[in-house]
Short mmCIF file of all heavy atoms in Angstrom, two decimals:
data_model
loop_
_atom_site.label_atom_id
_atom_site.label_comp_id
_atom_site.label_asym_id
_atom_site.label_seq_id
_atom_site.Cartn_x
_atom_site.Cartn_y
_atom_site.Cartn_z
N ASN Y 259 -142.40 -33.01 18.17
CA ASN Y 259 -143.06 -32.26 19.24
C ASN Y 259 -142.31 -30.96 19.54
O ASN Y 259 -142.92 -29.89 19.68
CB ASN Y 259 -143.16 -33.15 20.48
CG ASN Y 259 -143.87 -32.45 21.61
OD1 ASN Y 259 -143.33 -32.28 22.68
ND2 ASN Y 259 -145.09 -31.99 21.36
N ASN Y 263 -143.82 -27.29 18.76
CA ASN Y 263 -143.94 -26.31 19.85
C ASN Y 263 -143.22 -25.01 19.50
O ASN Y 263 -143.74 -23.93 19.73
CB ASN Y 263 -143.35 -26.87 21.14
CG ASN Y 263 -144.34 -27.73 21.90
OD1 ASN Y 263 -145.50 -27.81 21.51
ND2 ASN Y 263 -143.88 -28.37 22.94
N LYS Y 266 -145.41 -23.23 17.24
CA LYS Y 266 -146.66 -22.79 17.88
C LYS Y 266 -146.45 -21.57 18.77
O LYS Y 266 -147.30 -20.70 18.86
CB LYS Y 266 -147.21 -23.93 18.77
CG LYS Y 266 -148.11 -24.88 18.04
CD LYS Y 266 -148.92 -25.84 18.89
CE LYS Y 266 -148.56 -26.24 20.25
NZ LYS Y 266 -149.28 -27.39 20.81
N TYR Y 267 -145.31 -21.56 19.48
CA TYR Y 267 -145.10 -20.50 20.48
C TYR Y 267 -144.11 -19.43 20.00
O TYR Y 267 -143.41 -18.83 20.79
CB TYR Y 267 -144.64 -21.13 21.80
CG TYR Y 267 -145.66 -22.12 22.33
CD1 TYR Y 267 -145.45 -23.50 22.27
CD2 TYR Y 267 -146.88 -21.67 22.84
CE1 TYR Y 267 -146.40 -24.40 22.72
CE2 TYR Y 267 -147.84 -22.57 23.30
CZ TYR Y 267 -147.59 -23.93 23.23
OH TYR Y 267 -148.55 -24.82 23.67
N ASP Y 291 -135.77 -21.51 19.64
CA ASP Y 291 -136.68 -20.56 18.98
C ASP Y 291 -136.52 -19.17 19.59
O ASP Y 291 -135.89 -19.02 20.64
CB ASP Y 291 -138.14 -21.05 19.08
CG ASP Y 291 -138.67 -21.04 20.50
OD1 ASP Y 291 -138.61 -19.99 21.17
OD2 ASP Y 291 -139.15 -22.11 20.96
N ILE Y 294 -142.12 -16.72 22.41
CA ILE Y 294 -142.66 -16.04 23.60
C ILE Y 294 -141.87 -16.37 24.87
O ILE Y 294 -141.94 -15.63 25.84
CB ILE Y 294 -144.16 -16.40 23.81
CG1 ILE Y 294 -144.35 -17.90 24.04
CG2 ILE Y 294 -145.00 -15.93 22.63
CD1 ILE Y 294 -145.76 -18.27 24.46
N GLY Y 295 -141.12 -17.48 24.86
CA GLY Y 295 -140.34 -17.87 26.03
C GLY Y 295 -141.24 -18.34 27.17
O GLY Y 295 -142.47 -18.31 27.08
N ILE Y 296 -140.59 -18.80 28.24
CA ILE Y 296 -141.35 -19.35 29.38
C ILE Y 296 -140.85 -18.65 30.65
O ILE Y 296 -139.64 -18.57 30.88
CB ILE Y 296 -141.13 -20.87 29.51
CG1 ILE Y 296 -141.48 -21.58 28.19
CG2 ILE Y 296 -141.95 -21.46 30.65
CD1 ILE Y 296 -140.85 -22.93 28.02
N ILE Y 304 -143.43 -27.54 33.05
CA ILE Y 304 -143.92 -27.84 31.70
C ILE Y 304 -143.71 -29.29 31.27
O ILE Y 304 -144.30 -29.73 30.32
CB ILE Y 304 -143.33 -26.89 30.63
CG1 ILE Y 304 -141.81 -26.96 30.65
CG2 ILE Y 304 -143.82 -25.47 30.82
CD1 ILE Y 304 -141.19 -26.33 29.44
N TYR Y 309 -149.81 -30.03 31.89
CA TYR Y 309 -149.47 -28.66 32.30
C TYR Y 309 -149.31 -27.75 31.08
O TYR Y 309 -148.59 -28.06 30.15
CB TYR Y 309 -148.18 -28.62 33.13
CG TYR Y 309 -148.03 -27.25 33.75
CD1 TYR Y 309 -148.68 -26.95 34.93
CD2 TYR Y 309 -147.33 -26.25 33.09
CE1 TYR Y 309 -148.62 -25.67 35.46
CE2 TYR Y 309 -147.26 -24.97 33.63
CZ TYR Y 309 -147.92 -24.69 34.82
OH TYR Y 309 -147.88 -23.43 35.33
N ARG Y 310 -150.01 -26.62 31.09
CA ARG Y 310 -149.89 -25.63 30.02
C ARG Y 310 -149.74 -24.26 30.68
O ARG Y 310 -150.44 -23.95 31.64
CB ARG Y 310 -151.14 -25.61 29.14
CG ARG Y 310 -151.53 -26.96 28.59
CD ARG Y 310 -152.47 -26.80 27.42
NE ARG Y 310 -151.77 -26.30 26.26
CZ ARG Y 310 -152.29 -25.46 25.39
NH1 ARG Y 310 -153.51 -25.01 25.55
NH2 ARG Y 310 -151.59 -25.05 24.33
N VAL Y 311 -148.82 -23.46 30.16
CA VAL Y 311 -148.68 -22.10 30.70
C VAL Y 311 -149.81 -21.27 30.13
O VAL Y 311 -150.06 -21.31 28.92
CB VAL Y 311 -147.32 -21.49 30.27
CG1 VAL Y 311 -147.16 -20.09 30.84
CG2 VAL Y 311 -146.16 -22.38 30.71
N GLY Y 321 -153.67 -27.44 22.45
CA GLY Y 321 -152.91 -28.56 23.00
C GLY Y 321 -153.44 -28.97 24.35
O GLY Y 321 -154.27 -28.26 24.94
N LEU Y 322 -152.98 -30.11 24.82
CA LEU Y 322 -153.44 -30.62 26.12
C LEU Y 322 -152.34 -30.59 27.17
O LEU Y 322 -152.56 -30.92 28.32
CB LEU Y 322 -153.88 -32.08 25.97
CG LEU Y 322 -155.27 -32.35 25.43
CD1 LEU Y 322 -155.54 -33.84 25.46
CD2 LEU Y 322 -156.33 -31.64 26.26
N GLY Y 323 -151.14 -30.23 26.74
CA GLY Y 323 -150.03 -30.23 27.69
C GLY Y 323 -149.47 -31.62 27.94
O GLY Y 323 -149.00 -31.92 29.04
N LEU Y 324 -149.53 -32.48 26.92
CA LEU Y 324 -149.01 -33.84 27.10
C LEU Y 324 -147.72 -34.09 26.33
O LEU Y 324 -146.93 -34.96 26.68
CB LEU Y 324 -150.05 -34.88 26.64
CG LEU Y 324 -151.27 -35.02 27.54
CD1 LEU Y 324 -152.25 -36.00 26.95
CD2 LEU Y 324 -150.84 -35.47 28.93
N GLY Y 325 -147.51 -33.30 25.25
CA GLY Y 325 -146.39 -33.55 24.35
C GLY Y 325 -145.03 -33.58 25.05
O GLY Y 325 -144.25 -34.51 24.86
N LEU Y 326 -144.77 -32.58 25.88
CA LEU Y 326 -143.46 -32.52 26.53
C LEU Y 326 -143.29 -33.62 27.57
O LEU Y 326 -142.21 -34.17 27.73
CB LEU Y 326 -143.25 -31.15 27.20
CG LEU Y 326 -142.88 -30.00 26.28
CD1 LEU Y 326 -142.68 -28.72 27.07
CD2 LEU Y 326 -141.62 -30.31 25.49
N SER Y 350 -136.83 -19.82 23.66
CA SER Y 350 -136.53 -21.04 24.43
C SER Y 350 -135.59 -21.93 23.63
O SER Y 350 -135.67 -21.98 22.41
CB SER Y 350 -137.80 -21.85 24.69
OG SER Y 350 -138.83 -21.01 25.13
N PHE Y 352 -134.79 -25.98 23.78
CA PHE Y 352 -135.00 -27.30 24.37
C PHE Y 352 -133.81 -28.18 23.98
O PHE Y 352 -133.39 -28.17 22.83
CB PHE Y 352 -136.31 -27.93 23.87
CG PHE Y 352 -137.51 -27.35 24.54
CD1 PHE Y 352 -138.06 -26.14 24.13
CD2 PHE Y 352 -138.09 -28.00 25.63
CE1 PHE Y 352 -139.16 -25.60 24.77
CE2 PHE Y 352 -139.19 -27.46 26.28
CZ PHE Y 352 -139.72 -26.25 25.85
P1 ADP H 1 -149.04 -28.35 24.47
O1 ADP H 1 -148.16 -27.56 23.54
O2 ADP H 1 -149.89 -29.31 23.75
O3 ADP H 1 -149.78 -27.49 25.43
P2 ADP H 1 -146.60 -29.48 25.61
O4 ADP H 1 -146.49 -30.52 26.66
O5 ADP H 1 -145.93 -29.72 24.32
O6 ADP H 1 -148.16 -29.26 25.40
O7 ADP H 1 -146.08 -28.11 26.22
C1 ADP H 1 -146.47 -27.74 27.55
C2 ADP H 1 -146.45 -26.23 27.70
O8 ADP H 1 -145.10 -25.75 27.65
C3 ADP H 1 -147.17 -25.49 26.59
O9 ADP H 1 -148.55 -25.39 26.85
C4 ADP H 1 -146.48 -24.14 26.60
O10 ADP H 1 -147.05 -23.32 27.60
C5 ADP H 1 -145.05 -24.47 27.03
N1 ADP H 1 -144.12 -24.55 25.87
C6 ADP H 1 -143.72 -25.68 25.23
N2 ADP H 1 -142.85 -25.39 24.25
C7 ADP H 1 -142.69 -24.05 24.27
C8 ADP H 1 -141.90 -23.13 23.49
N3 ADP H 1 -141.09 -23.55 22.50
N4 ADP H 1 -141.99 -21.81 23.80
C9 ADP H 1 -142.78 -21.38 24.81
N5 ADP H 1 -143.55 -22.19 25.58
C10 ADP H 1 -143.50 -23.52 25.31
#
Side-chain angles (χ1 to χ4, degrees):
N259 182 239
N263 276 354
K266 272 193 337 193
Y267 301 106
D291 67 54
I294 61 171
I296 305 159
I304 58 166
Y309 191 83
R310 308 198 72 216
V311 180
L322 278 184
L324 289 177
L326 282 181
S350 314
F352 283 81

